[in-house]
Amino acid sequence: MSGGWRQVVRIVIVLGVAAQDCVGAVGQGRLRSAVELRCDGVAQPLALEEGHARLTWQLEAVASARDVTQSSVRVVIGTRRSEVARGRGDVWDSGVQEQREPAIVFKATLQPATEYWWSVQVWDERGVASAWAAPVRFVTAAKDWKAQWIQAPFSTEQDGAALDGSHPMPVFRRAFALKRRPVQALLAIAGLGQYEAHLNGARVGDAVIAQAWTEYGKTITFDTYDVTTKIHRGENLIGVLLGNGMYNVQQTKGRYTKFERSYGAPKMIAELRVRYSDGKCETIATDAQWQAAPGPIRFSSTYGGEDFDARAVLKGWDHAAADTSAWSAAQVTQGPGGKLVAAIAPPMVEREHYTGRTVEKLPAAEPHGERTVFDLGQNFAGLPHIRVHGAAGAVLRITPGELLHPDGSVSQESSGGPQWWSYTLRGGAEESWQPLFSYYGFRYLQLEWVKGTGTVSSVDGVATNSASAAGSFASSSEPLNQIHALIVAAMHSNEASLFTDCPHREKLGWLEETHLVAPGLLFNSDLGGLYRATAQNIADAQDANGMVPTIAPQYTRFGPKYPVYDDSPEWGSATVLAPWWSYRFNGDRDVLERNYATMQRYVTYLEGRAVDGIVAYGLGDWYDIGPNPPGFSQDTTLGVTGTLMLYEDATVMARIATLLGKPEDEQRYLELAAREQSAFTRRFFHPDTHTYDTGSQTASAMPLALGIVPEEHRAAVLQQVIDDIHAHQDHVTAGEVGYPYMVRLLQEEGRGDVLLAMLLRRDAPSYGSQIEKGATTLTEAWDANPRNSQNHFMLGGAEEWFYRGLVGIDLDFSRDKRDEQLTFRPTVLRGVMWARASYRSACGEIRSEWHVEKNEMTLAVTVPAGMEATIVLPAARETALQENGAPIERARGVSVRSREDARAVLHVGSGSYRFTSTLPGL
């Protein structure tokens, strides 16, 4: 099949059809079983909303087996786990299907709020069946919610103005009794803006800063938790705390606020669905029977911080036996209008923990006492965690920052302020606390007692993000390792329920990064869910005319005073290019199908903005290096990047149309791409000097990377780019738009030597200069200017080269030829003696490691079962290639495609291989 192994076979289900006969008996096959079973990309979804899903798995081959493939597959779905484990499905049986792709789409009539189990059996290339995979479950979402939205019934007055019940933030509770213990209990909840749920005194789930940020008037996601083990026969209690989040952003005197916008009073909706052994069900839903009270969070702001008064924690508030005399009936209300859908992005959870060490004790600054500054050793997005004891009513203020002032105090110049958290002690025994709903990007914490005194026992930092690790990289070059760590730390800091630009002063979903540095993001983290959430946010933000703003959700508009920040083609093109990158890495074309109409509308809009084929508006090559402070493009004429975005959008749309079986659309987009290429060449190409536009790095590198330079001029234009790099002493001048294309160009043209020289610079502008200044996350500006954010990933284009260029793992499921979807093409350079990387792909673990000793290179690779790969191995023509110490001709699963002067091209099946060759010279 074209389009990659993850292209699926669609099967219309007729329930009750018997399975086909097996193609081979279960025996000593080369496939043990299918593993890592996923339903729509999730291990065990608890709220599947549709009567169809994409089921995927990985193949587990027997030890040391090579060239193992899947020839056939059978999937069953049923309501009883024990029967599914035996290959019997009372809901659906696919029968034996001949196919190599470890994926299938089922369509069936499923009951709402019902638990199902599924399993898969696979056959190897010899027709021998594996064992059935261990069954995994999915649960369908409830069709109709019984719950009602509720909010606090109280409001207060502050400075003569009526407040909305968020000063303080409300807490809710509902006691209920069960006559018997259930066999299943699922809690579905949405709390706006953020929430923390408790059941019988314990926090539900491991999410922090729970509740995805969306366009609440169009889409509200709910989370679902399996709380079966937390519930019991007799009295039970659900309790919920709310925070404002992005739902209720209020301007507050003396505290930092990026913008002001509120969807209304904080509110929540929830259902606890209980099922008993006899199949009967019960639902405890939010309604007027719930109770509300002012909670201990006295101030809650995504931007300004959080104030928590431990004295105001109502005793036993999340237990059934609590005194409820201070509680009132909750008020039933209306939601903000958005459709309730199951969570799309994965939850934010606690990741790394950093221990703070005291670095400075500063004298008192009236009216406060002595200040102590702690260094966590790493800039990150997250929360402080403190242990303190002292008198009741003592107030400790915690001020975060990325940098320090010359006097040693914490600076918020780069991150937006004033922002702080404060904790009021309840008194007595030692107390521990961390904010519930307000995170920040910081390395340093400044603690000071603003009322009373106490003792701080420990100060820690808790990094939070939604990313789950997928890749790793290391090399013999410590500068490269440092750059990798710098970029990845910034990427993780901005992987929340959307991709943020920075974790402090903005926290907005600026879109350009989602496609410009997508390979670096995707090599390091499993981001399928986050890319799906981004696509939904884009669809919700799209205007009726097709325009997609620079940020999604579009919580704030910059126009009419600054309209350029609202619409820029390099940002809006994430509508097309971000889902395309996700498909290239994951092979899941569902994200393309679901968002195709949104993509079409945007390309039509962008085409309409072109004048004589030139798209000349927007932000351009943002933050390039020129004579002025960074910002709008300085080296490259406005119109270069915008026009090339429309060209790339059109070429990608033609590819997508082909995948989706839309030939008329394909032709239309190919014609659009051709027109844009001609217009761009007429307007910007100077054949006499072999340059584009001003001859900047961006202006010439982008058309080269996109393949629109006339072939007879290609070598000369490439040399002009390289000459410009050398003329700047191997420094970058490209901004965030042009730089990733320049990295890909040098990689594709085999000029890793030029890129390495740039990466090894330690003077500004460079990654090395940031490290020299003490940065531990990638900074917003190339020169690590302290006035700019110290935690931005927009300039992280080099991360792609570490995996795809230096180590050589090139994965792309959009390629038609199966043996080219995974290619190993390592780059051996002087000064780098070894490099290794791994990537946990959708089809299994991919590994590549090479090292050089004298003139000999060893390359070890791992190809997952079910895949095949092309290996481009540096090798002198006379080299006697070996695999695991034996001549290449005798290696199992290996064939030599071609031998040239400087390389050998090999084809391999799945398995682990170890090649040695003599290098043609470094």
Side-chain angles (χ1 to χ4, degrees), residues 237-255:
L237 189 285
I238 305 175
V240 179
L241 304 97
L242 291 187
N244 280 319
M246 282 291 190
Y247 183 78
N248 187 30
V249 182
Q250 301 173 335
Q251 191 71 42
T252 304
K253 185 178 181 180
R255 304 286 273 262

Side-chain angles (χ1 to χ4, degrees), residues 623-635 733 781 783 785 787-788:
Y623 264 56
D624 63 352
I625 302 297
N628 301 316
F632 293 102
S633 179
Q634 304 178 59
D635 299 333
T733 63
D783 62 356
N785 190 315
R787 292 183 297 276
N788 296 112

Side-chain angles (χ1 to χ4, degrees), residues 6 55 100 118 159 202 224 256 336 456 505 535 548 652 695:
R6 307 225 1 143
L55 306 177
R100 296 181 66 180
W118 73 280
D159 298 329
T224 305
Y256 174 68
V456 177
R505 70 165 190 249
V548 170
V652 168

Side-chain angles (χ1 to χ4, degrees), residues 86 241 367 391 437 798:
R86 296 183 178 91
L241 304 97
F437 304 126

Side-chain angles (χ1 to χ4, degrees), residues 32-38 56-61 118 120 122 133-134 842:
R32 293 183 187 277
S33 178
V35 294
E36 299 294 328
L37 278 61
R38 297 286 186 269
T56 60
W57 54 91
Q58 296 176 11
L59 303 173
E60 182 182 39
W118 73 280
V120 57
V122 293

